[in-house]
């Protein structure tokens, strides 16, 4: 087998800390997270160019915009899309404009634009992308992974992450089970021109017709149509689309000039494990489900943000490899919940009288505030709660983006997270805890906040005197600085105290059992 030249030009197999298979939204986000943390990462991408065939995902939900805001790049996306004050659940519109977040809306933006903006960010961070190159296999040993590439070449990495989509080669090669449901329904999707003015809008059974350019309207049009059969021997063609339009609308609107015709199903599967040794899975490689609710791309990006800082700390040897187990523990339940709600949405969209009655009942229920808030927070990703045990309501939840006053001026919480470092934020009386043993990894900030603390669904909560915020924006600890859990949380999430500080007079942590 041939080898790719190392970055220094020598002829040995190129070595990287992390190889990412797949440069879709999940792979790009993960690469950005790792690069920000100073990790040597490379993306291997099958496509020869960044262009995407077709628009696919149509938008970003609140929590995804928040994680992009945590890295200082949300404005790039906001300036390219249009905001809408509601999210959809089985086509029932749920207003989220009263949600306690700066991003209380859905951002309509096609996946092709999302990938383009993420690609520019990753390029600025200097991440190499090997385009027109496929991961075809790998072998892992105690020290790393030999990643086999198309063209009879290879790379050596400490870790391999499969972000290579629903048909993931990495998942298959790792032998990780992918249990779930086979498809029950199939939809055709296309981008086409039409001679006649089509009927714009959703169809009761899901899908419909809309302009690709949502701001200006007009053609080309994106068409999504439920198919009569689930199994198909070949890819759909223009003729099939024309027939499906005629069945649904009584006319094909003079459809022509397709730039993209494909199909998707409601196949619903999730990997049994997000990690096998030095190989991890994220995004569609780890979970596939129908697009109802528009959550797939969003949870892939959020998988990447959960994994990035953990992998960076393990590669950087500040944390043990066991930290990576928390990636599966935290993200598998989130993925499972999305699979569950998409199955419910597919069932609610079945166009018969009984399901229509059920849909009407759900619509009535969701017009009430409490059910609306719960379901909308789930779809928008704002209700994610990692199980970090008992404690303050913030524990395991996303930290709100509070306005802060510090000695250096005004700032906000998300700004403090731009460089992917954890933050110990003290809002009460400063002092009382010596952060020096973790100061090389954790930033300590004393600040004041005047307003109330409000969380989605839960409402107003009591302000804690201090919070420990992970790089992904989730709260690892909240309480008083004298709480013995604080050094434990610092050690669990960000590694052992620097030995030079142990036992020094200024170090107030008497309990070293966790170090
Ligand atoms: C019709 C439709 C509508 C959708 N609407 C929404 C929506 O509104 N909102 C939403 O959030 N999601 C939506 N989704 C889902 C969304 O498109 C996916 O969840 C998202 O693309 C997953 O991103 P990913 O990076 O994990 O995988 P992918 O986007 O599949 O990217 C995988 C990448 O890996 C590359 N690759 C594959 N195999 C290899 C290999 N062996 N070696 C190297 N590279 C490889 C591929 O070329 C690709 O670039 C929709 C999907 C469909 C089909």
């Amino acid at each position: 087998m041939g080898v790719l030249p190392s970055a220094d030009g020598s002829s040995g197999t190129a070595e990287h800390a992390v190889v990412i298979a797949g440069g879709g939204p999940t792979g790009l986000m993960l690469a950005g997270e790792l690069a920000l943390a100073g990790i040597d990462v490379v993306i291997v991408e099958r496509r020869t160019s960044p262009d995407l065939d077709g628009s696919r995902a149509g938008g970003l939900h609140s929590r995804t915009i928040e994680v992009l805001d945590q890295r200082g790049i949300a404005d790039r996306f906001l300036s390219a899309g249009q905001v809408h004050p509601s999210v959809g659940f089985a086509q029932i519109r749920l207003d989220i404009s009263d949600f306690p977040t700066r991003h209380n809306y859905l951002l309509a933006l096609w996946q092709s634009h999302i990938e383009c903006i993420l690609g520019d960010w990753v390029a600025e961070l200097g991440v190499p992308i090997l385009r027109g190159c496929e991961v075809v296999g790998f072998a892992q040993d105690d020290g790393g992974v030999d990643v086999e590439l198309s063209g009879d070449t290879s790379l050596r990495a400490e870790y391999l992450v499969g972000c290579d989509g629903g048909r993931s080669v990495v998942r298959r090669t790792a032998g990780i089970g992918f249990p779930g449901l086979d498809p029950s329904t199939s939809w055709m999707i296309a981008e086409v021109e039409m001679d006649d003015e089509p009927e714009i809008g959703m169809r009761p059974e899901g899908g419909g017709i809309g302009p690709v350019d949502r701001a200006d309207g007009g053609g080309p049009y994106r068409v999504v149509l439920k198919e009569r059969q689930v199994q198909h021997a070949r890819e759909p063609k223009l003729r099939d689309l024309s027939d499906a339009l005629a069945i649904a609308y009584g006319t094909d609107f003079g459809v022509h000039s397709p730039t993209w015709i494909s199909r998707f199903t409601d196949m619903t599967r999730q990997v049994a494990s997000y990690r096998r040794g030095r190989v991890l899975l994220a995004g569609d490689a780890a979970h596939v489900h129908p697009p109802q609710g528009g959550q797939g791309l969003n949870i892939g990006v959020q998988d990447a943000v959960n994994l990035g800082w953990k992998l960076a700390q393990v590669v950087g040897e500040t944390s043990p490899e066991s930290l990576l187990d928390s990636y599966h523990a935290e993200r598998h339940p989130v993925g499972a919940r999305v699979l569950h709600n998409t199955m419910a949405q597919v069932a609610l969209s079945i166009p018969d009288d009984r399901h229509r009655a059920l849909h009407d009942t759900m619509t009535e229920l969701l017009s009430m505030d409490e059910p609306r808030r719960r379901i909308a927070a789930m779809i928008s990703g704002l209700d994610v709660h990692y199980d970090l045990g008992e404690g303050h309501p913030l524990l395991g939840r996303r930290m709100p983006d509070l306005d802060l006053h510090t000695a250096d001026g005004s700032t906000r919480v998300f700004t403090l997270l731009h460089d992917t470092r954890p933050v110990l934020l003290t809002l009460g009386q400063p002092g009382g805890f010596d952060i020096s043993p973790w100061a090389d990894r954790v930033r300590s900030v004393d600040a004041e906040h005047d307003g109330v603390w409000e969380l989605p669904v839960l409402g107003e909560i009591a302000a804690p005197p201090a919070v420990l915020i992970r790089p992904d924006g989730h709260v690892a600890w909240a309480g008083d600085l004298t709480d013995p859990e604080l050094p434990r949380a610092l050690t669990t999430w960000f590694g052992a105290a620097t030995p030079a500080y142990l036992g020094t007079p200024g170090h107030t942590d008497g309990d070293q059992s966790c170090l």
Side-chain angles (χ1 to χ4, degrees):
M1 179 182 297
V3 291
L4 287 174
S6 302
D8 63 5
S10 62
S11 60
T13 300
E15 290 191 19
H16 297 274
V18 179
V19 170
I20 296 175
T26 307
L28 290 169
M29 190 72 208
L30 180 62
E33 292 289 285
L34 290 167
L36 274 176
I39 301 299
D40 164 30
V41 54
V42 63
I43 296 176
V44 179
E45 169 53 52
R46 175 196 283 162
R47 283 182 277 152
T48 50
S49 99
D51 300 333
L52 203 59
D53 58 338
S55 42
R56 293 181 76 185
L60 296 177
H61 281 299
S62 296
R63 183 56 189 156
T64 311
I65 308 168
E66 284 195 344
V67 301
L68 297 167
D69 201 355
Q70 288 175 180
R71 299 299 175 252
I73 56 172
D75 287 345
R76 303 180 186 200
F77 297 85
L78 293 173
S79 60
Q82 298 103 38
V83 298
H84 295 276
S86 61
V87 299
F89 179 80
Q91 295 190 42
I92 304 165
R93 301 313 305 171
L94 307 175
D95 187 88
I96 58 166
S97 54
D98 61 343
F99 274 23
T101 162
R102 287 180 206 275
H103 304 294
N104 52 349
Y105 41 73
L106 169 80
L107 182 72
L109 185 64
W110 295 118
Q111 182 162 344
S112 41
H113 298 296
I114 295 168
E115 288 195 20
C116 182
I117 298 169
L118 282 175
D120 287 349
W121 175 57
V122 162
E124 284 163 26
L125 294 170
V127 176
I129 302 185
L130 302 179
R131 289 204 171 276
C133 189
E134 262 179 68
V135 170
V136 294
F138 65 82
Q140 60 171 317
D141 52 52
D142 288 348
V145 190
D146 289 314
V147 185
E148 251 181 84
L149 307 183
S150 50
D152 212 20
T153 54
S154 69
L155 290 171
R156 174 84 178 161
E158 288 176 51
Y159 288 89
L160 168 66
V161 188
C163 301
D164 49 345
R167 296 189 177 130
S168 171
V169 167
V170 175
R171 182 184 69 229
R172 268 186 276 137
T173 311
I176 299 176
F178 199 38
L181 298 180
D182 287 333
S184 71
T185 308
S186 174
W187 288 268
M188 207 181 297
I189 182 164
E191 281 175 21
V192 289
E193 296 286 354
M194 288 175 169
D195 287 335
D196 305 333
E197 190 79 20
E199 206 177 305
I200 300 292
M202 302 292 283
R203 292 192 57 79
E205 73 277 16
I209 304 178
V212 171
D213 187 337
R214 292 180 281 202
D216 287 349
Y221 298 99
R222 173 159 141 144
V223 182
V224 177
L225 285 177
K226 193 167 177 170
E227 299 187 283
R228 286 186 163 172
Q229 284 170 290
V230 178
Q231 299 297 338
H232 302 272
R234 56 172 177 80
E235 283 297 301
K237 299 198 170 4
L238 183 60
R239 177 82 230 164
D240 304 306
L241 182 68
S242 165
D243 291 347
L245 279 163
I247 291 167
Y249 294 94
T251 165
D252 73 357
F253 301 109
V255 63
H256 64 93
S257 310
T259 49
W260 181 48
I261 304 186
S262 186
R263 62 167 50 97
F264 63 91
T265 71
D266 63 342
M267 183 168 71
T268 307
R269 294 183 178 278
Q270 186 179 24
V271 278
S273 173
Y274 279 42
R275 173 181 171 218
R276 178 150 296 170
R278 292 178 170 273
V279 177
L280 298 117
L281 298 169
D284 275 17
H287 37 71
V288 294
H289 53 81
Q292 275 81 350
Q295 303 162 91
L297 179 151
N298 285 269
I299 61 164
V301 167
Q302 288 162 42
D303 285 348
V305 174
N306 183 286
L307 175 61
W309 64 277
K310 294 173 182 174
L311 193 51
Q313 285 182 189
V314 171
V315 167
E317 295 180 357
T318 54
S319 289
E321 220 188 348
S322 56
L323 180 66
L324 295 176
D325 293 335
S326 69
Y327 169 58
H328 171 93
E330 293 178 352
R331 293 306 296 174
H332 190 279
V334 173
R337 195 147 184 249
V338 170
L339 264 58
H340 193 258
N341 84 51
T342 55
M343 285 193 285
Q345 292 185 68
V346 169
L348 282 169
S349 307
I350 295 173
D352 63 28
D353 288 345
R354 288 187 174 85
H355 286 91
R356 265 195 285 273
L358 184 60
H359 192 272
D360 290 347
T361 311
M362 272 306 278
T363 307
E364 198 174 330
L365 268 175
L366 290 173
S367 69
M368 299 176 203
D369 263 353
E370 178 70 16
R372 169 186 63 85
R373 279 198 211 106
R374 275 182 187 243
I375 300 297
M378 173 178 70
I379 297 290
S380 56
L382 289 170
D383 72 340
V384 171
H385 180 200
Y386 299 140
D387 182 7
L388 305 189
E390 297 290 310
H392 191 278
L394 272 172
L395 192 62
R397 290 196 163 88
R398 67 179 251 301
M399 177 70 188
D401 186 22
L402 307 177
D403 286 313
L404 301 173
H405 310 289
T406 72
D408 298 327
S410 297
T411 186
R412 50 190 185 99
V413 168
F414 286 4
T415 306
L416 299 176
L417 296 170
H418 281 187
D419 59 1
T420 73
R421 282 183 77 197
V423 176
L424 177 61
L425 179 63
T426 303
L427 294 137
Q429 195 61 34
F433 182 78
D434 179 11
I435 192 67
S436 340
W438 291 274
D440 55 338
R441 284 153 279 161
V442 181
R443 184 170 171 193
S444 178
V445 176
D446 296 332
E448 286 175 10
H449 169 67
D450 298 331
V452 293
W453 290 56
E454 199 183 348
L455 293 184
V457 186
L458 291 193
E460 223 173 287
I461 53 162
V467 274
L468 180 61
I469 311 167
R470 309 190 320 188
D472 58 4
H474 281 258
V475 173
W477 167 90
D480 193 281
L481 289 173
T482 57
D483 179 1
E485 284 303 321
L486 174 55
R488 266 195 263 273
L490 282 160
T491 303
T492 300
W493 295 110
F494 311 120
T498 305
Y501 290 97
L502 295 180
T504 54
H507 183 228
T508 54
D509 170 27
D511 177 3
Q512 299 191 1
S513 58
C514 57
L515 300 174

